[in-house]
């Protein structure tokens, strides 16, 4: 210790430390540190205070939330008389006062921040040792050269941004944020919250109902929150309270309404409004599949607010699994995801409304115009009490923000790939999410459109959102604030500024890096990362917290709120589906031409013969079989089967991505399925009627039917119509099972051929043990049987063995009713299975 060097006295929150110039002192949450702060905003190893030979200095170790002097974030600062510092937040973070200072130290000066300050020698040696280099390839650099150290913040980067730092006792609302506003309570007064102006507390948020909830005092002096039948729900600590229900509030409880959260402190109500500037972090995310194989291994990283983060990596690196874990669609088996210091998994029911997800495939109907596609999306996502004017105003606002207003009247299919991706982003922005995830948004785009999309995402982040994009494109990574590189096997290989990544790996191009991943798949990339200086700078704080097992709330707490009632959703979906069909002129024409052609083909079969039983043979007294009747009915049945199944076989697979996203935002599965059944059913029934009218109108048929009396034409057509409907339901089963639309056509052909075999027109089914019972599963068997009962097939086409008639063909009203009931029952059973199969295409966290 040099002669005359004075000791330094630090004071914070009533505690005092006297520092000896002969050693350095670490500040942080680490209980083993020298000066310990129990505050979640302070990093594990936050900073070091030491004497550098000239004077006392404090060095920030790239802490998550920063060190501040005079309101400005600092990396290194010479300490002088009267210096005051804040840790973790510039205004209300833990304060350090210097009550005694070193002599001959100049006045405090805030140094220019710099990102690549080396770790303090006092604790850098505690880092894990570097992994031995893999033989045969270049030893990667452990620190970037000086030319790659950013001296100024990168694009959109703010050094004052916050990432959740971490202790288990983190504040439950918005970390260290100050309340947006305060509201004073009066004794006995009720405070109503809602969107309407007559409320005591007006929340200008379309996610909030006009009269949403109210606070009021209980007789024993406590406060409670009462939901007023809100559409998007009222939440306490992230869990929904029953619609119209009441819950007593404790001193630490947080109430969520739309984008706002409320906390009662004494006699006042603190309001926190989520305006989009939120931090986001993942800690120790691990996903294990059947067999114990880990496809995501201990992934931790933190994302500052208002930042753009790219995730890249080779195939098999777990990018898709990571995206599902981060969005809560498939929670990790271990670890936690923090949305502004709030556990996403535990509060998923509420926080899901703050998250936008743009899948790789477009989440909109390409046949609609941009404005109409957004109109239907807004109708489904906003509460039922929003007006058309309110929804239209929000749509126009988003279109202007994304520069799509000049394209609003164009069909989506006529837009370029980049513009279509903008429309998908616009759809997600309708509900003002603070956190936006995108999966391969530039896939299939040329380099120019790639740049346009990435610049769009850069702008979204700069405007106050946190954006995370999974991509294969490395051309525009410089636009991002942070880069996460995943290694084969699902581990982190790098997290930090994109401009330092290639130097970290020791290669000149990303092609070389990905080749190294492929050639050295057994290399310990995660160990190398955790032994690096970059890890200490950008991820060590998050890893300091022990991993936790995921405790997902019960399913009733995970059910998405339904902004619209079932009937409202159903009507909206029907109108949208009709609009989609009406805009496709080719499909409309095919709907008419296909049944007309199929009906007309039947006219080629002995056009001069009727469908009545032939007169008896005078020599034997037996009826002469009328092969025309069975052949005509076979043709009409096959036509109805093919037309019905063809209508629906692609409907669910082509909308699978749209359904997945809308289901996560509150769409009713049954309303979606019933809208398909209703619209396609109407189309198919009309087609069946057309097939029947054409097929039967020019032939002689019985004058009187079994059930409908003189309306024999209708009685013969009803089974054909019902067959088309049930075949349409079988088509929906195929569409819900296949993984790609290309696989539907072979299955459609197979379905039609099987129906031909089991009509009973080609060979006798009754009496064939096993075959006959199996035929009961075929809709064509029951439809032909119902029409055959009306035509008296047991006389028209009698069996070879006398008395061995088919009971399904009995010429009685009971047989006709049984056949029709069985045919419709098959359709209902198909609907049940379709609903079950649809579950597989929903976010895993929502499956019941």
């Amino acid at each position: 210790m040099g002669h005359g060097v004075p000791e330094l006295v630090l004071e914070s929150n009533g505690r005092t430390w006297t520092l000896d110039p002969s050693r350095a002192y670490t500040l942080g949450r680490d209980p083993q540190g020298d000066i310990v702060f129990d505050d979640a905003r302070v990093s594990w190893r936050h900073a070091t205070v030491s004497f550098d030979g000239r004077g006392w200095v404090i060095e920030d170790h790239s802490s998550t939330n920063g060190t501040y002097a005079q309101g400005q974030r600092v990396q290194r600062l010479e300490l002088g008389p009267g210096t005051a510092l804040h840790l973790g937040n510039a205004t209300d973070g833990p304060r350090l006062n210097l009550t005694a200072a070193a002599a001959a130290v100049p006045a405090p000066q805030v140094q220019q921040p710099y990102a690549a300050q080396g770790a303090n020698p006092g604790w850098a040696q505690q880092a894990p040792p570097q992994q031995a280099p893999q033989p045969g390839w270049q030893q990667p650099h452990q620190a970037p050269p000086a030319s790659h150290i950013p001296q100024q913040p990168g694009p959109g980067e703010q050094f004052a941004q916050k990432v959740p730092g971490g202790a288990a006792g983190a504040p439950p609302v918005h970390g260290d944020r100050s309340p947006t506003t305060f509201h004073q309570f009066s004794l006995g007064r009720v405070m109503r919250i809602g969107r309407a102006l007559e409320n005591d507390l007006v929340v200008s948020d379309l996610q909030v109902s006009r009269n949403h909830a109210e606070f009021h005092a209980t007789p024993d002096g406590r406060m409670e929150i009462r939901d007023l039948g809100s559409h998007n729900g009222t939440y306490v600590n992230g869990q929904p309270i029953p619609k119209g229900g009441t819950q007593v509030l404790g001193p630490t409880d947080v109430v969520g309404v739309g984008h706002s959260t409320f906390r009662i402190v004494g006699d006042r109500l603190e309001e926190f409004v989520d305006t989009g500037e939120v931090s986001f972090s993942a800690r120790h995310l691990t996903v294990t599949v059947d067999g114990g194989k880990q496809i995501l291994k201990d992934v931790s990283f933190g994302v500052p607010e208002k930042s753009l983060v790219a995730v890249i990596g080779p195939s098999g690196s777990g990018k898709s699994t990571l995206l599902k874990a981060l969005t809560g669609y498939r929670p990790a088996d271990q670890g936690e995801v923090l949305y502004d210091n709030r556990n996403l998994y535990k509060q998923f029911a509420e926080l899901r409304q703050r998250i936008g997800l743009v899948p790789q495939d477009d989440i909109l109907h390409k046949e609609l115009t941009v404005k109409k596609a957004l109109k239907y999306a807004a109708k489904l996502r906003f509460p039922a009490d929003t007006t058309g004017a309110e929804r239209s105003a929000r749509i126009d606002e988003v279109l202007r923000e994304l520069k799509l207003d000049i394209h609003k009247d164009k069909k989506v299919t006529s837009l370029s790939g980049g513009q279509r991706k903008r429309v998908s982003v616009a759809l997600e922005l309708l509900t003002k999410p603070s956190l936006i995830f995108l999966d391969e948004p530039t896939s299939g785009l040329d380099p120019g459109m790639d740049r346009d999309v990435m610049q769009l995402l850069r702008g979204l982040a700069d405007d106050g959102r946190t954006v995370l994009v999974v991509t294969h494109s490395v051309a525009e990574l410089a636009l991002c604030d942070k880069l996460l590189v995943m290694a084969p096997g699902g581990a982190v290989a790098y997290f930090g500024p994109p401009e330092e990544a290639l130097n970290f790996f020791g290669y000149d191009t990303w092609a070389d890096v990905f080749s190294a991943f492929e050639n050295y798949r057994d290399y310990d990339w995660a160990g190398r990362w955790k032994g690096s200086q970059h890890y200490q700078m950008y991820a060590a704080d998050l890893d300091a917290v022990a991993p936790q097992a995921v405790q997902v709330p019960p399913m009733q707490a995970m059910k998405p709120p339904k902004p619209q009632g079932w009937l409202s959703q159903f009507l909206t979906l029907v109108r949208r589906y009709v609009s989609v069909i009406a805009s496709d002129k080719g499909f409309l024409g095919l709907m008419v031409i296909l049944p007309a052609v199929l009906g007309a083909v039947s006219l080629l079969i002995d056009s001069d013969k009727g469908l009545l039983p032939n007169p008896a043979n005078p020599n034997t007294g037996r009826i002469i079989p009328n092969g025309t009747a069975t052949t005509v009915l076979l043709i009409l049945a096959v036509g109805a089967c093919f037309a019905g199944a063809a209508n629906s076989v692609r409907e669910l697979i082509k909308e699978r991505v749209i359904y997945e996203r809308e289901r996560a935002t509150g769409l009713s599965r049954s309303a979606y399925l019933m809208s398909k059944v209703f619209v396609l059913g109407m189309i198919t029934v009309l087609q069946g009627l057309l097939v029947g009218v054409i097929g039967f109108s020019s032939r002689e048929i019985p004058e009187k039917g079994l059930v409908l009396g003189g309306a024999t034409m209708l009685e013969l057509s009803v089974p054909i119509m019902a067959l088309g409907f049930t075949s349409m339901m079988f088509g929906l089963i195929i569409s819900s099972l296949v993984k790609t639309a290309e696989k539907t056509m072979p299955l459609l052909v197979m379905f039609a051929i099987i129906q031909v075999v089991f009509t009973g027109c080609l060979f006798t089914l009754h009496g064939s043990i096993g075959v006959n019972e199996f035929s009961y599963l075929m809709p064509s068997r029951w439809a032909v049987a119902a029409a055959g009962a009306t035509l008296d097939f047991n006389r028209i086409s009698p069996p070879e063995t006398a008395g061995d008639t088919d009971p399904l063909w009995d010429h009685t009203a009971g047989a006709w009713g049984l056949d029709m009931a069985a045919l419709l029952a098959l359709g209902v059973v198909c609907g049940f299975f379709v609903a079950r199969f649809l579950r597989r295409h929903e976010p895993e966290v929502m499956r019941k």
Side-chain angles (χ1 to χ4, degrees), residues 451-699:
R451 177 183 300 171
D452 289 343
V453 171
M454 292 301 291
Q455 287 176 340
L456 164 67
L457 303 184
R458 175 73 264 166
L460 293 177
D462 293 340
D463 287 342
R465 303 175 185 90
T466 301
V467 183
L468 188 144
V469 53
V470 174
T471 180
H472 276 118
S473 174
V474 297
E476 305 297 333
L477 294 180
L479 290 171
C480 302
D481 299 302
K482 292 289 190 294
L483 175 64
L484 175 67
V485 182
M486 300 294 292
V492 175
Y494 172 83
F495 178 73
E499 61 269 21
E500 299 176 21
L502 284 176
N503 282 287
F504 173 84
F505 288 107
Y507 289 104
D508 296 326
T509 68
W510 282 109
D512 294 331
V513 175
F514 278 56
S515 293
F517 282 147
E518 180 63 30
N519 296 332
Y520 305 101
R521 298 187 72 88
D522 295 331
Y523 181 72
D524 187 6
W525 295 99
R528 179 180 178 277
W529 156 243
K530 291 190 175 182
S532 70
Q533 183 187 35
H534 281 73
Y535 170 79
Q536 295 293 341
M537 295 170 63
Y538 300 117
D541 288 339
L542 292 168
D543 266 359
V545 183
Q548 299 181 8
V550 176
Q551 295 180 345
V552 179
M555 185 52 64
Q556 59 267 25
M558 308 301 290
K559 288 179 64 177
K562 292 182 173 56
Q564 306 279 331
W566 189 94
L567 182 60
S568 178
Q569 286 192 357
F570 171 75
L571 294 176
T572 300
L573 291 167
V574 167
R575 286 196 295 268
R576 182 176 70 178
Y577 194 23
V578 170
S579 296
V580 170
I581 292 175
S583 65
D584 190 345
K585 301 300 189 292
F587 182 68
L588 284 175
L590 189 61
M591 283 194 308
V592 176
I593 295 173
L594 180 61
V597 170
L598 292 173
V601 167
S602 69
L603 299 178
L604 302 177
I605 310 299
D606 294 331
S607 58
D608 58 336
K609 289 188 178 181
L611 304 181
L612 297 174
N614 288 325
N617 187 323
N619 297 323
T620 64
R622 295 188 61 187
I623 296 294
I624 300 174
N626 184 354
T628 300
T630 53
T631 305
V632 167
L633 202 55
L634 173 65
I635 296 297
L636 296 181
V638 171
C641 285
F642 191 83
N647 285 340
S648 62
V649 76
R650 289 177 178 263
E651 286 307 306
L652 298 183
I653 180 64
K654 76 178 185 182
E655 290 187 1
R656 183 161 296 172
V657 177
I658 299 174
Y659 172 73
E660 288 176 2
R661 184 65 192 125
E662 291 183 342
R663 177 75 175 125
T665 59
L667 179 68
S668 165
R669 182 195 307 146
S670 60
Y672 175 78
L673 178 57
M674 287 305 298
S675 71
K676 294 291 184 187
V677 171
F678 178 79
V679 176
L680 290 173
M682 292 293 292
I683 293 171
T684 305
V685 166
L686 292 175
Q687 287 179 324
L689 180 61
L690 183 59
V691 169
V693 168
I694 295 175
F696 295 125
S697 60
S698 63
R699 298 184 185 274

Side-chain angles (χ1 to χ4, degrees), residues 148-227:
H148 286 264
I149 297 176
Q151 297 300 318
Q152 297 293 337
E157 184 176 359
Q158 300 293 328
F159 281 91
Q161 292 165 345
K162 297 180 285 297
V163 177
V173 186
H174 288 285
D176 56 353
R177 301 189 189 282
S178 300
T180 307
T181 185
F182 302 96
H183 307 278
Q184 202 70 28
F185 273 123
S186 299
L187 190 62
R189 179 186 169 195
V190 174
M191 181 175 286
R192 178 170 292 186
I193 303 172
R195 203 174 73 249
L197 296 178
E198 64 265 19
N199 289 284
D200 303 298
L201 203 163
V202 179
V203 180
S204 181
D205 181 357
L206 290 184
Q207 294 288 82
V208 177
S209 298
R210 297 187 65 81
N211 295 291
H212 196 104
E214 62 185 18
F215 290 97
H216 58 93
T218 62
D220 58 2
R222 293 186 294 174
M223 297 299 297
E224 65 181 14
I225 183 71
R226 175 178 299 164
D227 182 81

